[in-house]
Amino acid sequence: MRKLFWLIVVLLAVFFARPIWEEPVGEYVDLRFLDSVDRTVENIVEHPEVSQAFEEAKNFTSRMGTELQSLIVSSSVELPEAVAKPELVETDSLIAVHNVTLGMGKKEAQEKVGLPLRLMRNEYGTDWHSYHQDYQNYVLLSYDQNDKVNGMFTNQDLFSSKEGITMSSTKSDVRSLLGTPLKSLQKGNVQYILDTREEYDVFKTDNTYTTIFYDIHEEDTVTAVQVVHEELEKKRPEIYAEPNEKLKEGYEYLLFELTNSARIQRNLPLLTWDEQTMITARKHSDDMAENQYFSHTNLAGQSPFDRMNEDGIEFFVAGENLAYGQYSGVFAHEGLMNSIGHRENILKPEFRYLGVGTAFNSENQPYYTANFFDR
């Protein structure tokens, strides 16, 4: 019986590993010999006397496969050197990010956060200046025409609050401190209802709009904050920004950066931007926006993996996230993190590359396609 058990283990190891082998080497290696393995496994499973041994072997193989996969990932990837978090000081502002507050001059702000690594056009018509060290201490700042800070964002434990709001605060804590969140946002003569789905709150205090995002998978604790001066908010005349090429690129790179910012906080390997996959992702977003559908399978019946193969992208593991209708890359990312399947893609250790493509429909609503993979 023991010999039979180990025979089944070996057969199952071959059987369950086959999808990993087929994609990268199937073009060069004749794998038809595995058909006999399939038949052997099926015959063994059907035999009632070995069903218990089969289940034990299956569980053993699954457990060993998971442990081996984790071992390979952890041993083959070197994470960036850890960077110390800045010491946060008390503030008289509702929210200070990395000790930066609204109205602070650009020179003073950059003495605290360093020099920007990328500029990304946002929905307000300005640029998010991205500051980080290998996505640690991740901060976005926007400046007005006088080089004064008029917008801030972070999804890391880098903010202080005169009301005592922290990353450990829950949704109920925040509401008890800041009151009732906005249910709508006035833009010109149109009042837009905020479809927050209880995943974020927007508060208006004095001349500031503060958005607090929550992680529904971590007991509704704070996961990110965005602070925008009302004059900057006025620069967005409608709920969706007027699309252009810079905005498209800004949304794409922002979703990429936020993904890495989430991964580095969990000691996961950083993803590398892949230009070729960005083109594949853009084509799918364009197709969805133009033909008014929202699906991983396009109108020609192609899956994400079909489309990647068609564009010559080699991979042995891949995944796709889609988002539609979120106001920006920030809202798209936070929404995806609150969806368990999308969250798993964002935080999957096996992925190494990411390409993001954005498109807009006739109502300026953005479609986001994110293709993850490793080759």
Side-chain angles (χ1 to χ4, degrees):
M1 188 69 176
R2 188 172 183 82
K3 289 182 178 179
L4 177 60
F5 172 81
W6 285 109
L7 173 62
I8 296 172
V9 167
V10 172
L11 291 173
L12 282 172
V14 175
F15 182 77
F16 286 119
R18 187 176 64 162
I20 298 176
W21 299 344
E22 281 182 341
E23 195 60 47
V25 302
E27 183 177 342
Y28 305 101
V29 180
D30 186 354
L31 298 177
R32 285 176 294 180
F33 74 92
L34 288 172
D35 293 341
S36 61
V37 176
D38 288 352
R39 289 192 294 272
T40 302
V41 171
E42 289 169 2
N43 291 336
I44 292 174
V45 173
E46 291 172 0
H47 200 292
E49 295 182 3
V50 297
S51 59
Q52 182 177 356
F54 174 80
E55 286 301 321
E56 292 176 1
K58 182 178 178 181
N59 293 335
F60 175 83
T61 305
S62 176
R63 186 172 67 256
M64 290 299 293
T66 300
E67 292 176 0
L68 179 60
Q69 188 178 53
S70 299
L71 180 61
I72 292 172
V73 170
S74 61
S75 63
S76 62
V77 177
E78 185 175 342
L79 293 174
E81 184 177 348
V83 176
K85 191 183 81 170
E87 182 179 351
L88 301 178
V89 299
E90 292 185 5
T91 179
D92 293 330
S93 300
L94 178 59
I95 297 288
V97 174
H98 207 303
N99 299 320
V100 175
T101 56
L102 290 184
M104 182 177 289
K106 184 176 183 179
K107 181 179 179 181
E108 182 181 358
Q110 292 192 161
E111 287 175 354
K112 302 177 185 294
V113 297
L115 296 175
L117 299 182
R118 180 180 279 131
L119 272 62
M120 298 167 286
R121 185 59 46 89
N122 60 35
E123 65 271 32
Y124 304 107
T126 62
D127 290 327
W128 283 126
H129 296 233
S130 171
Y131 304 90
H132 59 87
Q133 299 89 42
D134 291 320
Y135 297 97
Q136 300 168 81
N137 296 338
Y138 187 82
V139 172
L140 299 175
L141 298 178
S142 168
Y143 302 96
D144 64 17
Q145 65 274 18
N146 298 314
D147 279 343
K148 302 291 185 181
V149 176
N150 60 2
M152 309 183 295
F153 171 88
T154 186
N155 61 348
Q156 297 184 6
D157 187 12
L158 296 170
F159 66 89
S160 52
S161 167
K162 70 175 182 180
E163 299 292 348
I165 299 170
T166 69
M167 295 289 274
S168 300
S169 301
T170 64
K171 182 192 304 179
S172 58
D173 294 335
V174 172
R175 290 178 176 178
S176 67
L177 292 169
L178 300 186
T180 304
L182 298 179
K183 299 299 181 184
S184 61
L185 201 59
Q186 188 80 24
K187 292 290 181 183
N189 296 323
V190 179
Q191 190 164 339
Y192 295 92
I193 303 300
L194 295 174
D195 183 18
T196 67
R197 303 181 184 182
E198 295 291 303
E199 295 179 5
Y200 66 90
D201 286 328
V202 182
F203 300 93
K204 176 68 163 61
T205 54
D206 299 326
N207 58 359
T208 303
Y209 288 91
T210 302
T211 304
I212 310 290
F213 297 91
Y214 308 108
D215 192 327
I216 67 172
H217 300 294
E218 296 183 6
E219 300 180 338
D220 277 339
T221 51
V222 175
T223 188
V225 296
Q226 178 175 289
V227 184
V228 174
H229 194 280
E230 66 177 350
E231 291 302 317
L232 181 59
E233 183 61 53
K234 288 178 183 178
K235 291 182 177 294
R236 182 171 59 146
E238 298 180 358
I239 201 69
Y240 292 110
E242 186 72 27
N244 55 54
E245 194 64 25
K246 285 189 175 180
L247 186 66
K248 177 189 292 187
E249 291 180 356
Y251 282 3
E252 291 167 347
Y253 280 119
L254 182 53
L255 197 56
F256 168 77
E257 288 203 354
L258 293 173
T259 297
N260 270 336
S261 178
R263 288 173 70 92
I264 199 65
Q265 293 180 76
R266 295 161 174 84
N267 294 317
L268 295 172
L270 295 175
L271 302 177
T272 299
W273 176 263
D274 189 80
E275 195 75 12
Q276 186 180 14
T277 312
M278 177 273 288
I279 295 172
T280 299
R282 269 193 184 183
K283 288 193 293 186
H284 187 56
S285 290
D286 284 334
D287 190 37
M288 290 190 294
E290 182 178 349
N291 293 292
Q292 300 181 346
Y293 75 94
F294 185 63
S295 174
H296 290 288
T297 303
N298 66 16
L299 300 181
Q302 291 179 309
S303 71
F305 317 113
D306 295 330
R307 298 192 297 273
M308 291 173 72
N309 278 322
E310 184 177 67
D311 287 348
I313 299 167
E314 297 181 355
F315 62 91
F316 72 86
V317 60
E320 178 175 89
N321 281 352
L322 299 180
Y324 158 67
Q326 287 79 6
Y327 308 132
S328 72
V330 166
F331 285 84
H333 171 76
E334 296 301 331
L336 290 168
M337 282 292 286
N338 275 331
S339 171
I340 190 64
H342 298 103
R343 184 188 185 99
E344 288 174 357
N345 273 343
I346 291 170
L347 303 179
K348 191 175 182 68
E350 293 77 19
F351 290 145
R352 292 291 180 274
Y353 302 92
L354 173 60
V356 181
T358 303
F360 302 86
N361 65 13
S362 58
E363 297 177 346
N364 297 340
Q365 296 169 321
Y367 287 75
Y368 307 87
T369 301
N371 290 130
F372 305 80
F373 71 102
D374 192 12
R375 56 169 63 97

